[in-house]
Amino acid sequence: MTFNRITLGLIAALSVTLAGCGGGEPDNGTTLNRGNRIEPLSLDPDLAQISDERTIVSDLFVGLYEPAADAQPILALAESAAISDDGLVWTFTLRDDAFWSDGEPVTAEDVVFGLQRPLDPLTGNQFAAPLLMIANAQEIYEGRAPVDTLGVRALDARTVELSLNYPAPYLPTVLMYYGQPIPRHAIEAFGDRWARPENMVSSGPYTLAEWRSNNYIHLVANPYFYDADEVCLTDIYYFPTVNTAAAERRVRSGELDLNVDFASSNTQFLLEHNPELVQSVPGFTIRTIDFNNTSPPFDNPQVRRALSLAINRNFLTQDVLGGFDAPAFRVVPAGLHGRLDGPRLDYADQPMDQRRAEARRLLEGAGFGPDNPLVFEFNYQPAASWPRIVPVIQQDWMTIAPWVQVEVVTSDSQIHYDRMRGGDFQVSTSGWRPDFNDPYGILFQYETRAGEINYSRWTDPAFDALTDAAVRTPDEAEHNALLAQAEQYFLDQTPVIPVFFEANRQLVSPRVTGWISNPDQINLSRWLCLAQPGEGAAED
């Protein structure tokens, strides 16, 4: 189904009017109702922190590259990219038909501003680390150089030159999400209020029509989007589905067309009763338990190792989670380009009774016992299967010895990660999906220079040296080997506990066409359509 720009504009205007009557209205095959797990804190591309926020942002903004239906990078605002022989200079030519949603052209200066802004300390962006390969980015982010020294420049209105510190063949996957062009004219006009529905100017297939807090976010098709004629859906409603069980019922009843999660404990039930809804593939997300390495006793690697030893990952994934997720004995997931076999926790194959005995010895060696119990707070967020497995992990730890005492505390995801970024925790659940298709996409968050996204606050010059050498070598085999060494070193030091690799679990109505499940868990609305009444759902 296609629409011309005039038709899309009329439909978008009508959709805004109808939305005042309530989100998720009955539709004629052009309105998609999506469950999205959380209530966002921000839809500013440089302030959105969590993947569920960035899902919405990706419907609103595109970069020089964007994810295709299968999540692989394709050119977006750029019509071409030229790379120098040494891989250090990338030259992009913008599309002639790249416009903001207010009709203003997207220019090379917008691209420059979009790369400078997330690195500017005044912006308050906490996820700038993926952009640190750009020349002078580190110095700017740390406040040691002005933003106009960044290695990016507009050669003319449609040409941008980007200079890197080291070769980054994975740059297209970074630019899908980070450093997207930002409408400077809107920010100058509205300041911090620019990302509100009445003020936002976007570059993607949709614009922000409404945001009713803790109810829904409504997007409408952008008639100025360069590929507007190929966008099927005119209206997207995002609902914060914090209650996964309720979201499952809403998908099963047809109230929601899809939800990006379902409880692992319900897998068998759903496969028996609604197999047509179930989408599940192995994912790139690593779920970890992070220690605050600056807070005693977790500055002691023996204490960290003891608690890691005691977790029965095979039992958690097979018996508690139902077998879709994989136990994690390393942090780099299978399927990433350049991942080598080898790095692994050295006790992965030891029997659990032997591991628990060693854990007790390590804690006793660190000075803990009946007269000095190990007491700590374990924080988790009510998402990603943690509510189901945290009590089991708590019991694993308390089984080490009666003087290990664990208090479990929960808070919603936004507050949870805000506390982690501020270092206000002892032991906490976490998760990370790589921002680019390379082992460095996992490991860079543990570098000293990663800043607040290094939740564990672990710093180690030897680890930093290995990752730095890896990214600076132009030889791919050496790059991969150095990152494998870095991963093994990281595992040996146990700054975090790898627990499981999360399968991507979604419920998707068969009336949704164009959906391609993928390890990145990226499914932009712009690639989706809805089968009309009486039509069968097309195969992907």
Side-chain angles (χ1 to χ4, degrees), residues 359-372:
R360 179 168 182 149
R361 287 194 298 272
L362 289 171
L363 292 180
E364 288 174 339
F368 294 100
D371 297 329
N372 182 33

Side-chain angles (χ1 to χ4, degrees), residues 105-284:
V106 178
T107 68
E109 289 294 345
D110 292 326
V111 177
V112 172
F113 180 64
L115 288 164
Q116 291 175 342
R117 184 172 181 259
L119 292 163
D120 187 341
L122 295 178
T123 301
N125 177 28
Q126 297 160 335
F127 277 77
L131 296 174
L132 296 183
M133 82 279 285
I134 303 174
N136 290 331
Q138 183 79 44
E139 293 80 0
I140 294 167
Y141 192 51
E142 294 176 356
R144 296 185 285 112
V147 293
D148 60 6
T149 62
L150 186 66
V152 58
R153 59 179 180 145
L155 301 184
D156 56 46
R158 293 183 55 240
T159 310
V160 180
E161 182 183 86
L162 188 61
S163 299
L164 307 182
N165 290 315
Y166 46 81
Y170 47 80
L171 181 64
T173 56
V174 174
L175 295 180
M176 291 194 305
Y177 287 111
Y178 297 93
Q180 294 166 318
I182 299 294
R184 185 176 216 152
H185 62 288
I187 294 175
E188 290 175 347
F190 301 109
D192 292 341
R193 296 176 291 109
W194 84 272
R196 295 181 180 181
E198 64 271 21
N199 300 328
M200 179 179 279
V201 176
S202 58
S203 59
Y206 295 94
T207 62
L208 180 60
E210 281 186 293
W211 185 350
R212 296 193 176 185
S213 182
N214 292 303
N215 192 352
Y216 62 83
I217 291 172
H218 178 202
L219 312 184
V220 297
N222 174 14
Y224 289 100
F225 180 55
Y226 62 82
D227 206 17
D229 290 346
E230 300 302 320
V231 175
C232 283
L233 302 169
T234 61
D235 295 79
I236 312 294
Y237 285 89
Y238 278 96
F239 296 89
T241 51
V242 177
N243 186 324
T244 304
E248 291 173 14
R249 292 192 294 270
R250 294 174 71 182
V251 178
R252 295 178 66 211
S253 70
E255 183 182 349
L256 290 178
D257 295 305
L258 63 94
N259 192 54
V260 292
D261 197 9
F262 62 84
S264 58
S265 57
N266 287 352
T267 300
Q268 195 57 44
F269 174 86
L270 291 166
L271 288 173
E272 291 175 2
H273 293 85
N274 297 96
E276 75 283 359
L277 300 177
V278 178
Q279 298 274 349
S280 184
V281 296
F284 286 156

